[in-house]
């Protein structure tokens, strides 16, 4: 079963939506680096992303009239495995991404914060930049139930990890413009920007355009809420039953003690009446006892008579 984050990424790369240069810049910051030849590479566990990038880079080259050879813009290198997971290394040839970044006035001499500001000046740029970051380095521990009654123990944790603290700090400022407020922590020399609130995760997925994933997650939230409600009602009912049983046993013990010591006929008529009623119906709650008899009492009144019987038994 694929992780929820990977399913969301596959949804995004299956879409035929135009990508802006800000997407490629976000992807580079999230999972890219320079190799020994000065070429930009990205590492990914999504095999389908090669064709996705190839197709959209061609569209970008045509749209912005970038001078480049269509047939030599991408190369997929040998795969490598980390902790049992297969990764793919994709190389961008002929400085093609730097030409794309020039469209945003990205300058390697500027700080990462300054370059992100350039790449996120408009709402569309922010969405594309966030999509690049999401595909590049987002992970999640969210588990989706296979069945309606299946219990899942995971929360709604989604995170972005990076070795660059300035990157994640500035990215959190970008997300804050859409009322998405992630928290930042350090984990084993890696910086992690994370969300744990289900609504916030849905908002982020909606921001990058993973609408089907939003529906899946909202459905999961609804199922979990329903299961929790049923569990609370069941626990409450079980608690009430337990209280009823305990009260009935205590009443029966008192009645039997009185019967053995002095006999029930020595009780006042009103108490003898309810004592015999309880003996005949040892497991019924008070409201059912009243329905089974002609006693003109409320539940509170009936309970008061039983308390009198218990008090008399304790004195014997």
């Amino acid at each position: 079963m694929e992780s929820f984050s990977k399913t969301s990424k596959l949804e995004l790369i299956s879409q035929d939506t135009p990508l802006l240069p800000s997407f490629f810049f976000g992807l580079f910051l999230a999972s890219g680096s320079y190799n020994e030849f000065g070429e930009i590479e990205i590492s990914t566990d999504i095999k389908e992303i090669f064709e996705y990038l190839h197709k959209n880079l061609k569209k970008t080259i045509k749209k912005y009239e970038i001078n480049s050879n269509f047939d030599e813009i991408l190369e997929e290198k040998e795969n490598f495995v980390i902790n049992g997971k297969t990764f793919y290394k994709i190389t961008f040839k002929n400085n093609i991404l730097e030409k794309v970044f020039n469209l945003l006035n990205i300058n390697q001499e500027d700080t990462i914060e300054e370059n992100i500001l350039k790449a996120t000046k408009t709402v569309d740029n922010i969405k594309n930049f966030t999509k690049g970051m999401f595909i590049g380095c987002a992970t999640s521990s969210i588990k989706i139930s296979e069945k309606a009654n299946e219990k899942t123990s995971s929360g709604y944790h989604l995170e972005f990890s990076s070795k660059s603290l300035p990157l994640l700090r500035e990215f959190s400022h970008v997300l804050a413009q859409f009322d998405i407020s992630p928290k930042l922590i350090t984990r084993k020399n890696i910086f992690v920007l994370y969300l744990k609130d289900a609504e916030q995760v849905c908002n982020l997925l909606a921001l990058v355009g993973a609408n089907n994933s939003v529906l899946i997650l909202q459905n999961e939230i609804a199922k979990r809420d329903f299961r929790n409600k049923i569990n609370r009602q069941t626990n409450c009912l079980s608690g009430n039953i337990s209280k009823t049983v305990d009260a009935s046993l205590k009443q029966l013990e008192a009645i039997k003690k009185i019967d053995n010591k002095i006999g029930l006929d020595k009780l006042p008529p009103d108490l003898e009446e309810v004592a015999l009623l309880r003996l005949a119906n040892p497991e019924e709650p008070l409201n059912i006892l009243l329905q089974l008899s002609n006693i003109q009492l409320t539940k509170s009144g009936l309970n008061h008579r039983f308390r009198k019987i218990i008090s008399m038994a304790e004195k014997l």
Side-chain angles (χ1 to χ4, degrees), residues 93-137:
K93 311 294 289 183
N94 299 322
N95 296 321
I96 183 61
L97 272 197
E98 292 183 351
K99 295 176 182 177
V100 172
F101 296 162
N102 286 339
L103 299 170
L104 299 167
N105 295 318
I106 299 298
N107 189 333
Q108 291 189 39
E109 303 302 319
D110 292 337
T111 65
I112 194 168
E113 294 93 339
E114 290 171 333
N115 283 328
I116 291 176
L117 284 173
K118 295 176 187 176
T120 57
K121 287 184 176 180
T122 68
V123 171
D124 283 342
N125 278 342
I126 290 174
K127 290 180 178 180
N128 274 266
F129 178 81
T130 304
K131 183 187 293 187
M133 287 287 296
F134 183 86
I135 290 176
C137 68

Side-chain angles (χ1 to χ4, degrees), residues 33-41 77 89 91-93:
S33 61
Y34 285 93
N35 63 19
E36 65 272 24
F37 305 109
E39 300 169 317
I40 291 176
E41 294 180 334
K77 289 195 172 182
K89 189 171 287 186
T91 305
F92 294 83
K93 311 294 289 183

Side-chain angles (χ1 to χ4, degrees), residues 207-244:
L207 179 63
V208 299
N211 298 324
N212 188 55
S213 295
V214 173
L215 293 176
I216 290 172
L217 185 55
Q218 288 179 335
N219 185 54
E220 175 68 17
I221 294 167
K223 285 194 289 186
R224 292 189 191 185
D225 287 345
F226 179 74
R227 285 196 298 268
N228 290 337
K229 182 178 180 181
I230 293 298
N231 288 338
R232 285 194 297 270
Q233 291 175 342
T234 301
N235 292 337
C236 182
L237 180 61
S238 297
N240 290 337
I241 291 173
S242 179
K243 289 178 182 178
T244 299

Side-chain angles (χ1 to χ4, degrees), residues 17 22 106 165 172 224:
T17 54
S22 52
I106 299 298
L165 179 58
S172 70
R224 292 189 191 185

Side-chain angles (χ1 to χ4, degrees), residues 61-277:
I61 290 169
K62 287 182 179 180
K63 179 177 180 179
Y64 295 100
E65 299 180 348
I66 298 173
N67 183 22
S68 182
N69 185 339
F70 281 1
D71 298 325
E72 297 182 5
I73 55 175
L74 281 184
E75 178 185 2
E76 188 172 31
K77 289 195 172 182
E78 70 279 0
N79 304 333
F80 58 100
V81 178
I82 299 177
N83 295 329
K85 181 183 289 188
T86 302
F87 286 82
Y88 308 90
K89 189 171 287 186
I90 298 172
T91 305
F92 294 83
K93 311 294 289 183
N94 299 322
N95 296 321
I96 183 61
L97 272 197
E98 292 183 351
K99 295 176 182 177
V100 172
F101 296 162
N102 286 339
L103 299 170
L104 299 167
N105 295 318
I106 299 298
N107 189 333
Q108 291 189 39
E109 303 302 319
D110 292 337
T111 65
I112 194 168
E113 294 93 339
E114 290 171 333
N115 283 328
I116 291 176
L117 284 173
K118 295 176 187 176
T120 57
K121 287 184 176 180
T122 68
V123 171
D124 283 342
N125 278 342
I126 290 174
K127 290 180 178 180
N128 274 266
F129 178 81
T130 304
K131 183 187 293 187
M133 287 287 296
F134 183 86
I135 290 176
C137 68
T139 57
S140 172
S141 61
I142 298 171
K143 296 286 191 297
I144 302 299
S145 307
E146 295 291 318
K147 301 174 183 176
N149 62 347
E150 180 182 5
K151 184 177 180 180
T152 52
S153 58
S154 72
Y156 300 103
H157 186 93
L158 186 144
E159 68 182 39
F160 299 82
S161 57
S162 174
K163 294 181 179 180
S164 172
L165 179 58
L167 166 61
L168 295 184
R169 277 180 174 165
E170 190 60 34
F171 184 41
S172 70
H173 297 154
V174 171
L175 294 177
Q177 298 177 56
F178 292 84
D179 295 325
I180 301 171
S181 305
K183 290 183 170 52
L184 186 61
I185 60 170
T186 304
R187 185 192 299 149
K188 296 181 180 179
N189 300 320
I190 296 292
F191 301 102
V192 178
L193 195 68
Y194 71 93
L195 296 167
K196 294 181 76 70
D197 179 76
E199 183 179 353
Q200 295 253 305
V201 174
C202 285
N203 290 343
L204 189 141
L205 292 170
L207 179 63
V208 299
N211 298 324
N212 188 55
S213 295
V214 173
L215 293 176
I216 290 172
L217 185 55
Q218 288 179 335
N219 185 54
E220 175 68 17
I221 294 167
K223 285 194 289 186
R224 292 189 191 185
D225 287 345
F226 179 74
R227 285 196 298 268
N228 290 337
K229 182 178 180 181
I230 293 298
N231 288 338
R232 285 194 297 270
Q233 291 175 342
T234 301
N235 292 337
C236 182
L237 180 61
S238 297
N240 290 337
I241 291 173
S242 179
K243 289 178 182 178
T244 299
V245 171
D246 290 344
S248 299
L249 289 174
K250 193 171 183 179
Q251 293 159 10
L252 284 168
E253 288 174 2
I255 292 167
K256 290 177 180 178
K257 184 177 181 180
I258 293 172
D259 191 24
N260 292 332
K261 293 284 186 179
I262 61 174
L264 295 181
D265 58 337
K266 296 296 191 292
L267 288 172
D270 58 336
L271 298 186
E272 181 184 10
E273 184 180 23
V274 298
L276 294 172
L277 182 62

